[in-house]
mmCIF file of all heavy atoms in Angstrom:
data_model
loop_
_atom_site.group_PDB
_atom_site.id
_atom_site.type_symbol
_atom_site.label_atom_id
_atom_site.label_comp_id
_atom_site.label_asym_id
_atom_site.label_seq_id
_atom_site.Cartn_x
_atom_site.Cartn_y
_atom_site.Cartn_z
ATOM 1 N N SER A 1 77.008 -22.722 9.289
ATOM 2 C CA SER A 1 76.209 -22.535 8.079
ATOM 3 C C SER A 1 74.880 -21.892 8.464
ATOM 4 O O SER A 1 74.485 -21.905 9.617
ATOM 5 C CB SER A 1 75.966 -23.874 7.382
ATOM 6 O OG SER A 1 75.216 -24.716 8.223
ATOM 7 N N ALA A 2 74.198 -21.339 7.473
ATOM 8 C CA ALA A 2 72.957 -20.628 7.736
ATOM 9 C C ALA A 2 71.831 -21.560 8.163
ATOM 10 O O ALA A 2 71.048 -21.233 9.032
ATOM 11 C CB ALA A 2 72.547 -19.833 6.504
ATOM 12 N N ALA A 3 71.701 -22.694 7.537
ATOM 13 C CA ALA A 3 70.627 -23.636 7.868
ATOM 14 C C ALA A 3 71.128 -24.609 8.935
ATOM 15 O O ALA A 3 72.271 -25.021 8.918
ATOM 16 C CB ALA A 3 70.202 -24.394 6.620
ATOM 17 N N TYR A 4 70.253 -24.953 9.857
ATOM 18 C CA TYR A 4 70.668 -25.776 10.995
ATOM 19 C C TYR A 4 70.744 -27.267 10.718
ATOM 20 O O TYR A 4 71.578 -27.959 11.263
ATOM 21 C CB TYR A 4 69.701 -25.598 12.169
ATOM 22 C CG TYR A 4 69.508 -24.181 12.614
ATOM 23 C CD1 TYR A 4 68.254 -23.729 12.968
ATOM 24 C CD2 TYR A 4 70.560 -23.299 12.685
ATOM 25 C CE1 TYR A 4 68.056 -22.432 13.394
ATOM 26 C CE2 TYR A 4 70.371 -22.003 13.101
ATOM 27 C CZ TYR A 4 69.127 -21.568 13.453
ATOM 28 O OH TYR A 4 68.925 -20.295 13.867
ATOM 29 N N ARG A 5 69.839 -27.777 9.938
ATOM 30 C CA ARG A 5 69.725 -29.230 9.812
ATOM 31 C C ARG A 5 70.358 -29.761 8.528
ATOM 32 O O ARG A 5 70.085 -29.237 7.450
ATOM 33 C CB ARG A 5 68.250 -29.611 9.869
ATOM 34 C CG ARG A 5 67.666 -29.421 11.251
ATOM 35 C CD ARG A 5 66.144 -29.439 11.248
ATOM 36 N NE ARG A 5 65.589 -28.704 12.363
ATOM 37 C CZ ARG A 5 65.495 -27.377 12.439
ATOM 38 N NH1 ARG A 5 65.933 -26.620 11.470
ATOM 39 N NH2 ARG A 5 64.976 -26.790 13.493
ATOM 40 N N PRO A 6 71.172 -30.800 8.651
ATOM 41 C CA PRO A 6 71.744 -31.420 7.446
ATOM 42 C C PRO A 6 70.626 -31.806 6.479
ATOM 43 O O PRO A 6 69.544 -32.217 6.882
ATOM 44 C CB PRO A 6 72.458 -32.654 8.002
ATOM 45 C CG PRO A 6 72.777 -32.296 9.421
ATOM 46 C CD PRO A 6 71.618 -31.441 9.876
ATOM 47 N N GLY A 7 70.890 -31.603 5.197
ATOM 48 C CA GLY A 7 69.923 -31.920 4.165
ATOM 49 C C GLY A 7 69.013 -30.752 3.823
ATOM 50 O O GLY A 7 68.330 -30.765 2.806
ATOM 51 N N GLN A 8 69.006 -29.720 4.656
ATOM 52 C CA GLN A 8 68.188 -28.539 4.419
ATOM 53 C C GLN A 8 68.917 -27.615 3.435
ATOM 54 O O GLN A 8 70.148 -27.517 3.468
ATOM 55 C CB GLN A 8 67.997 -27.823 5.760
ATOM 56 C CG GLN A 8 66.932 -26.789 5.799
ATOM 57 C CD GLN A 8 66.779 -26.217 7.211
ATOM 58 O OE1 GLN A 8 67.671 -26.331 8.040
ATOM 59 N NE2 GLN A 8 65.640 -25.598 7.476
ATOM 60 N N GLU A 9 68.168 -26.944 2.562
ATOM 61 C CA GLU A 9 68.786 -26.019 1.612
ATOM 62 C C GLU A 9 69.574 -24.959 2.376
ATOM 63 O O GLU A 9 69.106 -24.419 3.371
ATOM 64 C CB GLU A 9 67.717 -25.338 0.756
ATOM 65 C CG GLU A 9 68.318 -24.468 -0.326
ATOM 66 C CD GLU A 9 67.275 -23.859 -1.231
ATOM 67 O OE1 GLU A 9 66.163 -24.417 -1.338
ATOM 68 O OE2 GLU A 9 67.579 -22.827 -1.827
ATOM 69 N N GLY A 10 70.794 -24.690 1.928
ATOM 70 C CA GLY A 10 71.656 -23.720 2.586
ATOM 71 C C GLY A 10 72.572 -24.325 3.621
ATOM 72 O O GLY A 10 73.408 -23.644 4.202
ATOM 73 N N ASN A 11 72.456 -25.630 3.865
ATOM 74 C CA ASN A 11 73.269 -26.283 4.879
ATOM 75 C C ASN A 11 74.613 -26.755 4.341
ATOM 76 O O ASN A 11 75.555 -26.932 5.101
ATOM 77 C CB ASN A 11 72.510 -27.464 5.492
ATOM 78 C CG ASN A 11 73.252 -28.081 6.646
ATOM 79 O OD1 ASN A 11 73.964 -29.061 6.473
ATOM 80 N ND2 ASN A 11 73.105 -27.487 7.820
ATOM 81 N N GLU A 12 74.705 -26.960 3.045
ATOM 82 C CA GLU A 12 75.952 -27.474 2.465
ATOM 83 C C GLU A 12 77.050 -26.416 2.491
ATOM 84 O O GLU A 12 76.785 -25.223 2.383
ATOM 85 C CB GLU A 12 75.703 -27.927 1.029
ATOM 86 C CG GLU A 12 74.661 -29.023 0.910
ATOM 87 C CD GLU A 12 74.967 -30.247 1.749
ATOM 88 O OE1 GLU A 12 76.130 -30.687 1.774
ATOM 89 O OE2 GLU A 12 74.044 -30.766 2.397
ATOM 90 N N PHE A 13 78.284 -26.851 2.616
ATOM 91 C CA PHE A 13 79.423 -25.938 2.607
ATOM 92 C C PHE A 13 79.606 -25.332 1.224
ATOM 93 O O PHE A 13 79.484 -26.025 0.212
ATOM 94 C CB PHE A 13 80.719 -26.671 2.992
ATOM 95 C CG PHE A 13 80.825 -26.964 4.452
ATOM 96 C CD1 PHE A 13 80.541 -28.224 4.940
ATOM 97 C CD2 PHE A 13 81.227 -25.984 5.345
ATOM 98 C CE1 PHE A 13 80.635 -28.507 6.291
ATOM 99 C CE2 PHE A 13 81.331 -26.249 6.691
ATOM 100 C CZ PHE A 13 81.040 -27.508 7.166
ATOM 101 N N GLU A 14 79.924 -24.045 1.187
ATOM 102 C CA GLU A 14 80.315 -23.389 -0.059
ATOM 103 C C GLU A 14 81.756 -23.787 -0.351
ATOM 104 O O GLU A 14 82.526 -24.115 0.562
ATOM 105 C CB GLU A 14 80.213 -21.861 0.083
ATOM 106 C CG GLU A 14 78.806 -21.359 0.344
ATOM 107 C CD GLU A 14 77.881 -21.517 -0.849
ATOM 108 O OE1 GLU A 14 78.382 -21.489 -1.993
ATOM 109 O OE2 GLU A 14 76.663 -21.666 -0.631
ATOM 110 N N ALA A 15 82.140 -23.768 -1.630
ATOM 111 C CA ALA A 15 83.489 -24.186 -2.036
ATOM 112 C C ALA A 15 84.574 -23.417 -1.280
ATOM 113 O O ALA A 15 85.602 -23.988 -0.907
ATOM 114 C CB ALA A 15 83.652 -24.005 -3.543
ATOM 115 N N GLU A 16 84.333 -22.135 -1.017
ATOM 116 C CA GLU A 16 85.350 -21.285 -0.373
ATOM 117 C C GLU A 16 85.651 -21.694 1.060
ATOM 118 O O GLU A 16 86.711 -21.370 1.588
ATOM 119 C CB GLU A 16 84.908 -19.815 -0.375
ATOM 120 C CG GLU A 16 84.745 -19.213 -1.737
ATOM 121 C CD GLU A 16 83.372 -19.497 -2.368
ATOM 122 O OE1 GLU A 16 82.486 -20.086 -1.706
ATOM 123 O OE2 GLU A 16 83.211 -19.158 -3.546
ATOM 124 N N VAL A 17 84.715 -22.360 1.705
ATOM 125 C CA VAL A 17 84.906 -22.731 3.108
ATOM 126 C C VAL A 17 84.786 -24.236 3.328
ATOM 127 O O VAL A 17 84.534 -24.691 4.447
ATOM 128 C CB VAL A 17 83.927 -21.968 4.038
ATOM 129 C CG1 VAL A 17 84.229 -20.492 4.066
ATOM 130 C CG2 VAL A 17 82.488 -22.235 3.647
ATOM 131 N N MET A 18 84.973 -25.001 2.288
ATOM 132 C CA MET A 18 84.914 -26.458 2.382
ATOM 133 C C MET A 18 85.955 -26.941 3.395
ATOM 134 O O MET A 18 87.108 -26.512 3.347
ATOM 135 C CB MET A 18 85.198 -27.068 1.011
ATOM 136 C CG MET A 18 84.955 -28.561 0.941
ATOM 137 S SD MET A 18 83.233 -29.037 1.135
ATOM 138 C CE MET A 18 82.473 -28.293 -0.287
ATOM 139 N N PRO A 19 85.560 -27.790 4.331
ATOM 140 C CA PRO A 19 86.534 -28.305 5.303
ATOM 141 C C PRO A 19 87.668 -29.049 4.600
ATOM 142 O O PRO A 19 87.458 -29.726 3.598
ATOM 143 C CB PRO A 19 85.712 -29.272 6.152
ATOM 144 C CG PRO A 19 84.300 -28.829 5.978
ATOM 145 C CD PRO A 19 84.219 -28.292 4.577
ATOM 146 N N ALA A 20 88.853 -28.898 5.146
ATOM 147 C CA ALA A 20 90.024 -29.597 4.613
ATOM 148 C C ALA A 20 89.900 -31.086 4.938
ATOM 149 O O ALA A 20 89.185 -31.483 5.870
ATOM 150 C CB ALA A 20 91.293 -29.031 5.239
ATOM 151 N N ALA A 21 90.583 -31.889 4.180
ATOM 152 C CA ALA A 21 90.588 -33.336 4.421
ATOM 153 C C ALA A 21 91.017 -33.601 5.860
ATOM 154 O O ALA A 21 91.998 -33.042 6.339
ATOM 155 C CB ALA A 21 91.535 -34.011 3.442
ATOM 156 N N GLY A 22 90.240 -34.401 6.563
ATOM 157 C CA GLY A 22 90.562 -34.753 7.933
ATOM 158 C C GLY A 22 90.082 -33.750 8.972
ATOM 159 O O GLY A 22 90.187 -34.003 10.167
ATOM 160 N N GLU A 23 89.554 -32.616 8.535
ATOM 161 C CA GLU A 23 89.059 -31.608 9.473
ATOM 162 C C GLU A 23 87.716 -32.062 10.056
ATOM 163 O O GLU A 23 86.851 -32.548 9.339
ATOM 164 C CB GLU A 23 88.902 -30.272 8.743
ATOM 165 C CG GLU A 23 88.684 -29.095 9.649
ATOM 166 C CD GLU A 23 88.752 -27.776 8.895
ATOM 167 O OE1 GLU A 23 88.414 -27.722 7.698
ATOM 168 O OE2 GLU A 23 89.156 -26.794 9.521
ATOM 169 N N THR A 24 87.547 -31.919 11.362
ATOM 170 C CA THR A 24 86.328 -32.348 12.032
ATOM 171 C C THR A 24 85.180 -31.409 11.714
ATOM 172 O O THR A 24 85.334 -30.192 11.767
ATOM 173 C CB THR A 24 86.544 -32.380 13.559
ATOM 174 O OG1 THR A 24 87.611 -33.283 13.846
ATOM 175 C CG2 THR A 24 85.291 -32.821 14.286
ATOM 176 N N VAL A 25 84.038 -31.964 11.396
ATOM 177 C CA VAL A 25 82.810 -31.204 11.174
ATOM 178 C C VAL A 25 81.781 -31.722 12.177
ATOM 179 O O VAL A 25 81.532 -32.922 12.267
ATOM 180 C CB VAL A 25 82.283 -31.381 9.732
ATOM 181 C CG1 VAL A 25 80.944 -30.684 9.560
ATOM 182 C CG2 VAL A 25 83.306 -30.864 8.731
ATOM 183 N N ILE A 26 81.198 -30.792 12.941
ATOM 184 C CA ILE A 26 80.180 -31.156 13.922
ATOM 185 C C ILE A 26 78.871 -30.513 13.471
ATOM 186 O O ILE A 26 78.690 -29.303 13.609
ATOM 187 C CB ILE A 26 80.564 -30.672 15.336
ATOM 188 C CG1 ILE A 26 81.905 -31.288 15.754
ATOM 189 C CG2 ILE A 26 79.459 -31.015 16.335
ATOM 190 C CD1 ILE A 26 82.487 -30.716 17.017
ATOM 191 N N PRO A 27 77.958 -31.298 12.906
ATOM 192 C CA PRO A 27 76.669 -30.726 12.460
ATOM 193 C C PRO A 27 75.864 -30.218 13.650
ATOM 194 O O PRO A 27 75.824 -30.858 14.697
ATOM 195 C CB PRO A 27 75.957 -31.901 11.798
ATOM 196 C CG PRO A 27 77.011 -32.934 11.573
ATOM 197 C CD PRO A 27 78.057 -32.721 12.618
ATOM 198 N N LYS A 28 75.236 -29.071 13.483
ATOM 199 C CA LYS A 28 74.384 -28.553 14.534
ATOM 200 C C LYS A 28 72.943 -28.525 14.060
ATOM 201 O O LYS A 28 72.669 -28.477 12.875
ATOM 202 C CB LYS A 28 74.845 -27.162 14.994
ATOM 203 C CG LYS A 28 74.722 -26.062 13.994
ATOM 204 C CD LYS A 28 75.351 -24.793 14.571
ATOM 205 C CE LYS A 28 75.170 -23.617 13.658
ATOM 206 N NZ LYS A 28 73.835 -23.076 13.625
ATOM 207 N N ARG A 29 72.023 -28.581 15.000
ATOM 208 C CA ARG A 29 70.600 -28.638 14.663
ATOM 209 C C ARG A 29 69.812 -27.482 15.278
ATOM 210 O O ARG A 29 68.611 -27.408 15.132
ATOM 211 C CB ARG A 29 70.028 -29.968 15.117
ATOM 212 C CG ARG A 29 70.711 -31.131 14.430
ATOM 213 C CD ARG A 29 70.064 -32.453 14.776
ATOM 214 N NE ARG A 29 70.784 -33.570 14.212
ATOM 215 C CZ ARG A 29 70.772 -33.920 12.940
ATOM 216 N NH1 ARG A 29 70.100 -33.225 12.075
ATOM 217 N NH2 ARG A 29 71.452 -34.970 12.508
ATOM 218 N N THR A 30 70.475 -26.620 16.011
ATOM 219 C CA THR A 30 69.860 -25.428 16.597
ATOM 220 C C THR A 30 70.782 -24.247 16.331
ATOM 221 O O THR A 30 71.856 -24.402 15.756
ATOM 222 C CB THR A 30 69.652 -25.574 18.114
ATOM 223 O OG1 THR A 30 70.935 -25.598 18.751
ATOM 224 C CG2 THR A 30 68.864 -26.819 18.464
ATOM 225 N N ASN A 31 70.399 -23.067 16.815
ATOM 226 C CA ASN A 31 71.238 -21.893 16.567
ATOM 227 C C ASN A 31 72.560 -21.930 17.314
ATOM 228 O O ASN A 31 73.532 -21.351 16.862
ATOM 229 C CB ASN A 31 70.469 -20.607 16.879
ATOM 230 C CG ASN A 31 69.971 -20.538 18.301
ATOM 231 O OD1 ASN A 31 70.130 -21.454 19.096
ATOM 232 N ND2 ASN A 31 69.329 -19.436 18.621
ATOM 233 N N SER A 32 72.666 -22.608 18.426
ATOM 234 C CA SER A 32 73.928 -22.702 19.161
ATOM 235 C C SER A 32 74.654 -23.998 18.814
ATOM 236 O O SER A 32 74.069 -25.076 18.873
ATOM 237 C CB SER A 32 73.691 -22.668 20.669
ATOM 238 O OG SER A 32 74.914 -22.908 21.354
ATOM 239 N N ALA A 33 75.928 -23.874 18.498
ATOM 240 C CA ALA A 33 76.734 -25.048 18.169
ATOM 241 C C ALA A 33 76.988 -25.941 19.382
ATOM 242 O O ALA A 33 77.452 -27.067 19.233
ATOM 243 C CB ALA A 33 78.068 -24.612 17.566
ATOM 244 N N PHE A 34 76.650 -25.456 20.576
ATOM 245 C CA PHE A 34 76.871 -26.243 21.782
ATOM 246 C C PHE A 34 75.670 -27.105 22.164
ATOM 247 O O PHE A 34 75.803 -28.057 22.916
ATOM 248 C CB PHE A 34 77.223 -25.323 22.962
ATOM 249 C CG PHE A 34 78.598 -24.743 22.867
ATOM 250 C CD1 PHE A 34 78.795 -23.476 22.337
ATOM 251 C CD2 PHE A 34 79.712 -25.454 23.298
ATOM 252 C CE1 PHE A 34 80.067 -22.931 22.241
ATOM 253 C CE2 PHE A 34 80.988 -24.927 23.199
ATOM 254 C CZ PHE A 34 81.170 -23.656 22.674
ATOM 255 N N ILE A 35 74.497 -26.772 21.676
ATOM 256 C CA ILE A 35 73.283 -27.493 22.071
ATOM 257 C C ILE A 35 73.069 -28.697 21.159
ATOM 258 O O ILE A 35 73.043 -28.569 19.938
ATOM 259 C CB ILE A 35 72.054 -26.568 22.036
ATOM 260 C CG1 ILE A 35 72.230 -25.479 23.098
ATOM 261 C CG2 ILE A 35 70.760 -27.349 22.263
ATOM 262 C CD1 ILE A 35 71.149 -24.421 23.087
ATOM 263 N N GLY A 36 72.946 -29.864 21.780
ATOM 264 C CA GLY A 36 72.680 -31.080 21.020
ATOM 265 C C GLY A 36 73.884 -31.627 20.277
ATOM 266 O O GLY A 36 73.732 -32.465 19.390
ATOM 267 N N THR A 37 75.067 -31.133 20.617
ATOM 268 C CA THR A 37 76.298 -31.645 19.999
ATOM 269 C C THR A 37 77.294 -31.995 21.108
ATOM 270 O O THR A 37 77.077 -31.676 22.276
ATOM 271 C CB THR A 37 76.964 -30.594 19.079
ATOM 272 O OG1 THR A 37 77.527 -29.541 19.892
ATOM 273 C CG2 THR A 37 75.974 -30.016 18.075
ATOM 274 N N ASP A 38 78.383 -32.594 20.711
ATOM 275 C CA ASP A 38 79.437 -32.901 21.681
ATOM 276 C C ASP A 38 80.584 -31.897 21.583
ATOM 277 O O ASP A 38 81.706 -32.180 21.985
ATOM 278 C CB ASP A 38 79.938 -34.326 21.501
ATOM 279 C CG ASP A 38 80.606 -34.572 20.149
ATOM 280 O OD1 ASP A 38 80.524 -33.703 19.254
ATOM 281 O OD2 ASP A 38 81.214 -35.650 19.980
ATOM 282 N N LEU A 39 80.293 -30.701 21.074
ATOM 283 C CA LEU A 39 81.337 -29.698 20.874
ATOM 284 C C LEU A 39 82.082 -29.366 22.159
ATOM 285 O O LEU A 39 83.314 -29.402 22.196
ATOM 286 C CB LEU A 39 80.745 -28.421 20.260
ATOM 287 C CG LEU A 39 81.726 -27.266 20.069
ATOM 288 C CD1 LEU A 39 82.885 -27.666 19.163
ATOM 289 C CD2 LEU A 39 80.997 -26.042 19.519
ATOM 290 N N GLU A 40 81.358 -29.045 23.218
ATOM 291 C CA GLU A 40 82.041 -28.684 24.461
ATOM 292 C C GLU A 40 82.942 -29.816 24.945
ATOM 293 O O GLU A 40 84.096 -29.592 25.324
ATOM 294 C CB GLU A 40 81.043 -28.320 25.558
ATOM 295 C CG GLU A 40 81.764 -27.936 26.847
ATOM 296 C CD GLU A 40 80.846 -27.648 28.017
ATOM 297 O OE1 GLU A 40 79.621 -27.861 27.903
ATOM 298 O OE2 GLU A 40 81.367 -27.235 29.071
ATOM 299 N N GLN A 41 82.444 -31.046 24.919
ATOM 300 C CA GLN A 41 83.242 -32.188 25.384
ATOM 301 C C GLN A 41 84.499 -32.363 24.528
ATOM 302 O O GLN A 41 85.579 -32.643 25.049
ATOM 303 C CB GLN A 41 82.402 -33.468 25.365
ATOM 304 C CG GLN A 41 81.261 -33.482 26.360
ATOM 305 C CD GLN A 41 80.040 -32.681 25.915
ATOM 306 O OE1 GLN A 41 79.941 -32.245 24.768
ATOM 307 N NE2 GLN A 41 79.118 -32.466 26.830
ATOM 308 N N ARG A 42 84.357 -32.227 23.214
ATOM 309 C CA ARG A 42 85.518 -32.352 22.322
ATOM 310 C C ARG A 42 86.569 -31.284 22.631
ATOM 311 O O ARG A 42 87.765 -31.575 22.676
ATOM 312 C CB ARG A 42 85.105 -32.225 20.866
ATOM 313 C CG ARG A 42 84.395 -33.421 20.297
ATOM 314 C CD ARG A 42 83.915 -33.084 18.882
ATOM 315 N NE ARG A 42 83.239 -34.154 18.243
ATOM 316 C CZ ARG A 42 83.772 -34.917 17.293
ATOM 317 N NH1 ARG A 42 84.997 -34.720 16.886
ATOM 318 N NH2 ARG A 42 83.070 -35.890 16.760
ATOM 319 N N LEU A 43 86.108 -30.047 22.819
ATOM 320 C CA LEU A 43 87.037 -28.955 23.115
ATOM 321 C C LEU A 43 87.756 -29.196 24.434
ATOM 322 O O LEU A 43 88.978 -29.060 24.522
ATOM 323 C CB LEU A 43 86.292 -27.618 23.142
ATOM 324 C CG LEU A 43 85.688 -27.157 21.823
ATOM 325 C CD1 LEU A 43 84.791 -25.945 22.040
ATOM 326 C CD2 LEU A 43 86.778 -26.861 20.793
ATOM 327 N N ARG A 44 87.006 -29.557 25.451
ATOM 328 C CA ARG A 44 87.605 -29.789 26.776
ATOM 329 C C ARG A 44 88.578 -30.970 26.733
ATOM 330 O O ARG A 44 89.676 -30.899 27.284
ATOM 331 C CB ARG A 44 86.517 -30.027 27.807
ATOM 332 C CG ARG A 44 85.521 -28.882 27.914
ATOM 333 C CD ARG A 44 85.641 -28.120 29.188
ATOM 334 N NE ARG A 44 84.538 -27.185 29.325
ATOM 335 C CZ ARG A 44 84.705 -25.866 29.360
ATOM 336 N NH1 ARG A 44 85.907 -25.338 29.252
ATOM 337 N NH2 ARG A 44 83.668 -25.069 29.508
ATOM 338 N N LYS A 45 88.172 -32.060 26.078
ATOM 339 C CA LYS A 45 89.030 -33.239 25.984
ATOM 340 C C LYS A 45 90.337 -32.916 25.257
ATOM 341 O O LYS A 45 91.401 -33.440 25.604
ATOM 342 C CB LYS A 45 88.300 -34.367 25.246
ATOM 343 C CG LYS A 45 89.073 -35.652 25.172
ATOM 344 C CD LYS A 45 88.274 -36.735 24.481
ATOM 345 C CE LYS A 45 89.094 -38.004 24.382
ATOM 346 N NZ LYS A 45 88.379 -39.059 23.673
ATOM 347 N N SER A 46 90.268 -32.022 24.278
ATOM 348 C CA SER A 46 91.454 -31.632 23.506
ATOM 349 C C SER A 46 92.260 -30.540 24.189
ATOM 350 O O SER A 46 93.306 -30.139 23.684
ATOM 351 C CB SER A 46 91.038 -31.152 22.117
ATOM 352 O OG SER A 46 90.417 -32.196 21.413
ATOM 353 N N GLY A 47 91.765 -30.018 25.293
ATOM 354 C CA GLY A 47 92.468 -28.952 26.000
ATOM 355 C C GLY A 47 92.364 -27.603 25.311
ATOM 356 O O GLY A 47 93.181 -26.723 25.549
ATOM 357 N N ILE A 48 91.365 -27.445 24.474
ATOM 358 C CA ILE A 48 91.191 -26.180 23.757
ATOM 359 C C ILE A 48 90.416 -25.214 24.634
ATOM 360 O O ILE A 48 89.317 -25.523 25.092
ATOM 361 C CB ILE A 48 90.461 -26.406 22.412
ATOM 362 C CG1 ILE A 48 91.348 -27.257 21.501
ATOM 363 C CG2 ILE A 48 90.091 -25.073 21.761
ATOM 364 C CD1 ILE A 48 90.658 -27.733 20.248
#
């Protein structure tokens, strides 16, 4: 999403790209989805 922090205007998903039920969402707080999140660990653990 365009805005980094949850609760910030522009951070909410648009209807067209709303995550499917059960789909994992990892909120990010900086421009890189890898910084300050567990994204890399999740990907590696899943073998992705």
Side-chain angles (χ1 to χ4, degrees):
S1 63
Y4 305 140
R5 290 165 205 78
Q8 194 176 19
E9 185 176 336
N11 186 264
E12 300 304 317
F13 285 101
E14 297 291 331
E16 297 84 5
V17 293
M18 189 66 64
E23 192 171 30
T24 301
V25 175
I26 301 171
K28 66 186 184 74
R29 299 185 185 285
T30 68
N31 58 357
S32 174
F34 288 96
I35 295 175
T37 71
D38 64 350
L39 177 59
E40 180 184 7
Q41 293 79 10
R42 286 174 179 256
L43 295 171
R44 302 250 189 244
K45 183 178 178 182
S46 298
I48 295 171

